[in-house]
Amino acid sequence: NMLILSRSKFFAEALRFILHDLVGEVRVIDSWDDLEHLLSRGKYNVVVCDISCVENSGEQNFRNIKSISPDSKVVVFSFDPPGKHRDFVAKIGADGYINRPLNPSAVLDSFKDLD
């Protein structure tokens, strides 16, 4: 199961379309409060969130996700090329990074690596 935190409905729907054969359920939310609530109530294998949801309070927000759902993989996304956030993504310990616009084969490859 996948939980996506995004204010972009287009991005969430594009991910859902790309991953429809790989992921059973995709839940889309647009607020940090909803994320904490849903993580505490259900099991999500993967959490995908806009880099802005972890950027300002990055490490603390990431630790919050991991403390609520320690087995979940966390993937961040941005419009920026991967090199721009490589150090930040490594610093917080995220399990992956997706940049937009979405390249379907790159997205599928990045999620297959999360098994």
Side-chain angles (χ1 to χ4, degrees), residues 8 10 14 17-19 27 32 61 68 70 79 95 97 107 113:
S8 169
F10 173 79
F17 179 76
I18 293 168
L19 297 169
R27 177 101 187 237
W32 181 258
N61 286 348
I68 296 168
F79 278 113
D95 298 293
Y97 178 81
V107 170
D113 292 342

Side-chain angles (χ1 to χ4, degrees), residues 50-107:
D50 193 307
I51 201 162
S52 66
C53 85
V54 292
E55 199 165 36
N56 298 331
S57 303
E59 292 176 75
Q60 184 59 49
N61 286 348
F62 184 81
R63 281 194 296 271
N64 288 346
I65 293 171
K66 285 299 199 175
S67 70
I68 296 168
S69 186
D71 295 330
S72 294
K73 303 291 185 182
V74 180
V75 176
V76 294
F77 67 90
S78 169
F79 278 113
D80 300 318
K84 181 172 181 177
H85 298 292
R86 183 174 290 122
D87 292 341
F88 175 74
V89 169
K91 179 181 175 186
I92 65 170
D95 298 293
Y97 178 81
I98 301 170
N99 65 299
R100 301 180 279 190
L102 296 173
N103 174 330
S105 59
V107 170

Side-chain angles (χ1 to χ4, degrees), residues 10-39:
F10 173 79
F11 175 80
E13 289 304 316
L15 258 186
R16 188 183 311 229
F17 179 76
I18 293 168
L19 297 169
H20 74 276
D21 287 335
L22 196 60
V23 178
E25 176 191 344
V26 178
R27 177 101 187 237
V28 178
I29 55 173
D30 62 4
S31 83
W32 181 258
D33 293 334
D34 290 340
L35 178 74
E36 290 179 332
H37 173 74
L38 287 170
L39 284 176

Side-chain angles (χ1 to χ4, degrees), residues 102-114:
L102 296 173
N103 174 330
S105 59
V107 170
L108 287 169
D109 288 345
S110 67
F111 280 92
K112 288 177 183 172
D113 292 342
L114 293 178

